Amino acid sequence: MNVILLGYPGSGKGTLAKDLVQSLGLVHVSTGDILRDEIAKKTPLGTEATSYMTSGRLVPDRLVMDMLKARLGTETRGLLFDGFPRTVEQAESLDAWFESKGQSIDAVIFLKVEEDVVVQRLGSRRTCTGCGKIYNAISSPPAKENVCDVCAKPLMTREDDKPAVIVRRIQVYKDQTEPLLAYYRSSGVFHEADGGQPPAAVTEKVSALLKK
Ligand code: AMP
């Protein structure tokens, strides 16, 4: 089964993905995580991607597609895409790539959340510097302030979760990613879930959808 998670930044895709990977045994493919890893490793791609990411713009399609194909290699099944595709061009490339491998997309899940809710969530999001677990400083803080419950490493605010960059990311989503809803709505595998619910409820709803 190949699944795509769609939705605003801050709609809960990353949190849901981590749950689904555990319960359904899928491989989590987060292009944001892969790009941050390239930056940490100071690769040429990471260097090229940095300015786009810190300013809240999208990394060019060509770079993202080359990076993704290199990372996935021959893996074409059991993939859970989070934060990809983000443009119609990326969606078309993914379709062509899957077709060439005799594979397809089995479900596209759109996490529907109001804009003011995602702005608030992104502003209070904290990410573990060790294992990447996502917290919300207000609604789901760690037991000990700024320390990860799982691996005890410090939490951080992502550079692109700062207020000015959040505004840009929301606009970029509306301009470049929202058209994907129309692209996938007619695909026959499109589902909508209420991403405004608490994470456990979202996971339960989406898991049930995928098990059907
Ligand atoms: P995310 O972790 O998914 O919120 O992504 C963080 C940032 O990485 C985005 O704001 C973009 O700059 C970049 N990025 C992640 N995925 C993509 C993608 N599929 N296409 C272009 N840029 C991306």
Side-chain angles (χ1 to χ4, degrees), residues 2-208:
N2 292 313
V3 181
I4 291 174
L5 301 181
L6 281 183
Y8 269 119
S11 58
K13 301 187 297 295
T15 303
L16 172 64
K18 288 193 168 74
D19 284 349
L20 294 180
V21 162
Q22 287 204 338
S23 59
L24 301 177
L26 299 171
V27 177
H28 186 192
V29 184
S30 157
T31 41
D33 284 350
I34 300 173
L35 285 163
R36 281 184 286 277
D37 184 47
E38 296 280 337
I39 291 174
K41 288 182 180 153
K42 299 190 171 34
T43 64
L45 167 64
T47 308
E48 205 172 339
T50 303
S51 63
Y52 294 100
M53 292 177 71
T54 50
S55 63
R57 287 171 298 149
L58 293 186
V59 175
D61 291 332
R62 176 187 51 82
L63 288 181
V64 173
M65 290 313 300
D66 288 351
M67 170 189 85
L68 191 68
K69 286 177 190 170
R71 284 277 176 138
L72 291 179
T74 52
E75 235 172 322
T76 54
R77 278 189 212 183
L79 304 177
L80 177 64
F81 292 100
D82 155 17
F84 175 87
R86 259 179 157 99
T87 63
V88 170
E89 288 73 17
Q90 289 179 14
E92 287 169 349
S93 297
L94 182 66
D95 281 346
W97 186 68
F98 269 146
E99 207 178 311
S100 74
K101 308 274 180 195
Q103 297 295 326
S104 58
I105 297 160
D106 302 286
V108 176
I109 311 285
F110 169 49
L111 289 183
K112 192 162 189 259
V113 185
E114 295 303 323
E115 182 178 332
D116 56 339
V117 174
V118 296
V119 170
Q120 187 274 330
R121 277 189 192 171
L122 289 172
S124 47
R125 178 159 73 179
R126 302 290 179 269
T127 308
C128 175
T129 51
C131 67
K133 185 172 163 65
I134 301 161
Y135 295 86
N136 185 292
I138 299 162
S139 60
S140 58
K144 190 171 165 203
E145 202 180 336
N146 272 322
V147 177
C148 181
D149 292 341
V150 178
C151 70
K153 290 269 165 47
L155 307 187
M156 61 154 183
T157 299
R158 268 170 48 175
E159 204 51 46
D160 58 352
D161 281 343
K162 308 238 160 106
V165 188
I166 291 174
V167 173
R168 166 65 87 53
R169 290 167 70 203
I170 298 289
Q171 196 54 48
V172 164
Y173 172 83
K174 287 183 186 166
D175 294 342
Q176 293 177 264
T177 307
E178 217 162 51
L180 283 177
L181 299 185
Y183 182 88
Y184 285 122
R185 254 199 182 104
S186 55
S187 66
V189 293
F190 184 89
H191 307 274
E192 203 169 290
D194 179 2
Q197 298 286 309
V202 178
T203 299
E204 194 180 326
K205 171 87 200 292
V206 174
S207 302

